[in-house]
Amino acid sequence: MKETHGNIFEALAERGFVKQCTDAEALTSKLAEGSLTFYCGFDPTAESLHCGSLVPIMAMAHLQRAGHRALAIIGGGTTMVGDPSGKTEMRAMLTREVIQQNGVGILAQLRRYLDLDGEKGRFLDNADWLLELRYVDFLRDIGRYFRVNEMLRAESYRARMEREEGLSFIEFNYQLLQAYDFLRLHQDQGCSLQIGGDDQWGNILAGTDLIRRLGGGPAYGLTFPLLTTATGAKMGKTASGAVWLDADRTSPVEFYQYWRNTDDRDVERFLAYFTFLPMHEVRALGRREGAALNESKEILAFEATKLCHGEEAATRAQNTAKEVKGSLAETTLPLARLREGIGLLDLLVETGLCATKSEARRLVQQGGARLNGAAATDAQITVGEPHVENGAILLQAGKKKFHKIQVL
């Protein structure tokens, strides 16, 4: 089903994107009237986004495909402050130069999903209006609308206040800056909707309230669920680290394998979130069983990789995965042994990927060893229970030797 102005809110809800909304009925009507300008912010704390950012990106893409105008905001200014939402400690302070460099990489990734060439969508840096602010003027004009007692009730602030490190004053200002972003975009770009993860709910509400207090038109907020996998792991995280959208950090093959290894219980949900397949097809694919469900995982992996890296890269990744499967040796290992921990070199020898520990050490030092698809460059690594993904561990020696360890 092609999304249109009239049904895009329902389409997002059907796919699971809607967690909280300031006024669902009014927003549904507003989206049905015609093109609406919306925005989502991305703080460039690294030179690449990871899979955890795909929920807002895919929601933006659905809205844009339905005829709405997307503003992708890179937080060149807010990143210099640091968002405390969902963080247990203060972010590392980055220089303006590093932040700008990170933004360049993130823009290239967003363009794979969104049209940001000006008319249908734009890419803006909030440093353009935040870094020029005069502090006392900002406090008088904007700060007077915020109440400290209300801000401290927000989950992101309260959780940090309860920790020994506490909340720094610079981080405490973050909500004001994000609210000001929404105000400026409302005034300059006609933006009336901010979207983001559910940890941003308090910041989004601060923006809609600021616009209301200053006599602006209708402004809405919409948040998405913060995803975890069926096993409880954070979306886009593995024992080997984050799954990045940058091919230099996570290769298309590793990216494909991440989705191919999706837990059975997550297949339908992830097809709804991370592909543009129509929902009747998503439901049919997600409800398969056995070998047929594995085919559904391959479709998920291909579609997600195609969006991120292009169809050619997705096809190569799929073919490589099939070659791996065809040449894959398997053994079993008791979970109790992994709880004790096994040295990587010992495991390479035990699985027959290397003849001796000396050979295994050379393999690691030369960059030829991989653990669950990620390069294993430390010969002192201890392989343990945290490395188990979907009941198994995948070891690789060179380009063509693979060994799957089934954990019992």
Side-chain angles (χ1 to χ4, degrees):
M1 177 179 66
K2 186 179 185 300
E3 290 127 359
T4 65
H5 288 149
N7 62 31
I8 182 56
F9 187 88
E10 291 87 348
L12 289 174
E14 184 180 23
R15 287 180 174 272
F17 284 102
V18 178
K19 176 66 174 181
Q20 297 192 76
C21 183
T22 52
D23 188 337
E25 184 176 349
L27 179 57
T28 300
S29 298
K30 190 73 174 176
L31 289 166
E33 291 175 3
S35 182
L36 174 148
T37 299
F38 67 95
Y39 98 90
C40 186
F42 301 89
D43 279 352
T45 54
E47 60 187 355
S48 172
L49 298 173
H50 54 72
C51 278
S53 300
L54 283 179
V55 172
I57 292 173
M58 290 297 291
M60 292 181 77
H62 280 290
L63 282 163
Q64 189 176 68
R65 287 179 171 212
H68 302 288
R69 180 170 173 254
L71 301 178
I73 308 303
I74 201 74
T78 43
T79 301
M80 299 187 76
V81 172
D83 183 4
S85 302
K87 300 293 180 291
T88 58
E89 57 188 26
M90 185 174 174
R91 289 183 186 270
M93 301 297 284
L94 303 178
T95 65
R96 177 70 177 132
E97 291 72 26
V98 169
I99 291 170
Q100 287 179 320
Q101 182 180 347
N102 291 347
V104 171
I106 290 173
L107 171 58
Q109 293 163 14
L110 291 174
R111 279 183 166 155
R112 300 173 195 160
Y113 298 85
L114 302 166
D115 183 342
L116 300 174
D117 292 333
E119 185 176 346
K120 296 180 180 179
R122 295 190 65 186
F123 182 79
L124 301 170
D125 186 343
N126 66 15
D128 293 343
W129 56 84
L130 291 183
L131 297 189
E132 65 183 20
L133 288 174
R134 297 169 64 90
Y135 186 60
V136 174
D137 290 340
F138 180 73
L139 290 179
R140 286 173 60 87
D141 297 339
I142 303 299
R144 64 194 180 101
Y145 293 108
F146 290 78
R147 299 290 177 265
V148 171
N149 58 331
E150 294 177 3
M151 295 173 69
L152 290 177
R153 282 199 291 267
E155 174 61 28
S156 57
Y157 287 158
R158 188 173 68 251
R160 284 289 299 277
M161 291 288 288
E162 293 172 355
R163 298 181 65 87
E164 182 177 349
E165 182 180 336
L167 181 75
S168 73
F169 179 71
I170 189 173
E171 293 174 295
F172 190 66
N173 285 268
Y174 191 93
Q175 187 174 102
L176 279 72
L177 296 179
Q178 185 167 328
Y180 184 69
D181 280 349
F182 198 178
L183 176 66
R184 281 295 298 263
L185 293 170
H186 185 78
Q187 294 172 337
D188 300 345
Q189 300 290 332
C191 179
S192 55
L193 171 64
Q194 181 182 175
I195 63 176
D198 202 49
D199 58 346
Q200 296 298 312
W201 181 243
N203 294 338
I204 292 174
L205 287 181
T208 59
D209 187 58
L210 181 62
I211 291 169
R212 178 185 59 79
R213 287 175 178 271
L214 291 173
Y220 307 96
L222 172 66
T223 64
F224 321 118
L226 301 178
L227 291 192
T228 57
T229 66
T231 60
K234 191 173 182 179
M235 179 64 207
K237 296 283 188 179
T238 69
S240 304
V243 181
W244 301 96
L245 305 189
D246 185 337
D248 291 332
R249 286 191 164 203
T250 299
S251 72
V253 173
E254 293 171 57
F255 192 84
Y256 179 96
Q257 289 286 26
Y258 172 76
W259 299 103
R260 174 61 183 82
N261 292 333
T262 295
D263 188 284
D264 291 358
R265 296 165 288 179
D266 287 326
V267 175
E268 182 175 339
R269 190 164 59 115
F270 286 4
L271 281 165
Y273 276 119
F274 304 115
T275 79
F276 290 113
L277 296 176
M279 281 303 295
H280 70 271
E281 188 173 342
V282 166
R283 294 190 189 94
L285 291 171
R287 293 170 185 175
R288 290 175 169 180
E289 296 181 355
L293 185 59
N294 286 332
E295 291 179 7
S296 297
K297 294 181 184 181
E298 291 173 3
I299 292 171
L300 166 64
F302 182 83
E303 293 294 324
T305 307
K306 180 175 71 173
L307 287 172
C308 187
H309 297 294
E311 187 165 1
E312 184 178 343
T315 300
R316 286 199 303 269
Q318 187 177 60
N319 291 338
T320 300
K322 289 178 180 178
E323 291 173 7
V324 170
K325 186 177 180 181
S327 60
L328 191 65
E330 291 190 22
T331 54
T332 60
L333 197 66
L335 180 59
R337 282 197 62 197
L338 283 175
R339 285 175 176 158
E340 296 172 1
I342 306 173
L344 174 61
L345 302 185
D346 293 323
L347 203 54
L348 286 167
V349 173
E350 186 173 332
T351 56
L353 289 173
C354 294
T356 64
K357 288 185 67 172
S358 297
E359 181 185 329
R361 183 174 288 105
R362 286 194 300 272
L363 177 74
V364 172
Q365 292 171 345
Q366 294 167 4
R370 302 186 81 81
L371 176 61
N372 290 331
T377 56
D378 182 359
Q380 303 304 314
I381 290 176
T382 297
V383 181
E385 187 175 1
H387 293 97
V388 179
E389 298 181 2
N390 295 315
I393 295 172
L394 182 64
L395 285 178
Q396 180 179 345
K399 293 183 177 180
K400 296 184 178 181
K401 294 173 66 178
F402 301 87
H403 198 104
K404 185 176 185 179
I405 302 169
Q406 293 284 357
V407 180
L408 304 177

